[in-house]
Amino acid sequence: QVQLQESGPGLVKPSDTLSLTCAVSGYSISSSNWWGWIRQPPGKGLEWIGYIYYSGSTYYNPSLKSRVTMSVDTSKNQFSLKLSSVTAVDTAVYYCARINEDRGVSNWFDPWGQGTLVTVSS
Amino acid sequence: QSVLTQPPSVSGAPGQRVTISCTGSSSNIGAGYDVHWYQQLPGTAPKLLIYGNSNRPSGVPDRFSGSKSGTSASLAITGLQAEDEADYYCQSYDSSLSGFVFGTGTKVTVL
């Protein structure tokens, strides 16, 4: 059974860098899947942040691209997210998920991690 | 930034049928990309409900069904139950973003 678990600081100061890791168990991160990050501000909807392949190839949401860096560590079967110069608007629950693909036109997130709340505050 | 539009809320009595629409554009749903649906119960992570427009993962009741036409998609819940009270999100891929887009979300209330 595939499981994903996010970890990282729950409180980050404004202008600092948010760093999160997603540990994958029950499945090799080097399999033919992309891996993604999604966030959800309190009381609001879902926003895609970006996704990464085990080779290190990445795609980022254009609205966050200048501040986002993703990386993968195949030896630890995990991938990571860094978001720089954070402000209060970056306060959200951050989720990691496996991306499943079919026929090149169908990509969906499953499973998801339980999510971790990151608050940006001094 | 959501580019897929959903109604903020829908409601129905137990046993009734409700539908949730998801409207996109020519760069996502209209471009032929599939639509997927997620159910988010209060305080929990989203859970895959429908993938590939109309496919149910193992364990999802057949009360849930999905369809797609043109630049829109729909999720139907028949035989509404109290446990279906949750937020529902559609999701697709957008070629102009080279990335994923989510719907604005719909809260389903069981009266």
Side-chain angles (χ1 to χ4, degrees), chain A residues 31 36 41 43 64 66 83 101:
Chain A
S31 299
L64 298 169
S66 63
L83 181 66
E101 185 270 340

Side-chain angles (χ1 to χ4, degrees), chain A residues 39-89:
Chain A
R39 70 180 183 178
Q40 184 174 35
K44 296 188 178 181
L46 300 167
E47 180 182 33
W48 162 68
I49 300 172
Y51 56 99
I52 187 167
Y53 199 58
Y54 77 92
S55 62
S57 297
T58 56
Y59 287 89
Y60 302 141
N61 188 321
S63 69
L64 298 169
K65 186 175 183 178
S66 63
R67 300 193 292 130
V68 173
T69 303
M70 293 182 182
S71 60
V72 63
D73 186 337
T74 55
S75 66
K76 295 182 178 179
N77 216 43
Q78 64 186 33
F79 60 105
S80 299
L81 167 70
K82 290 187 185 298
L83 181 66
S84 64
S85 304
V86 297
T87 67
V89 299

Side-chain angles (χ1 to χ4, degrees), chain B residues 29 67-74:
Chain B
I29 300 175
S67 63
K68 172 191 163 184
S69 178
T71 58
S72 297
S74 291

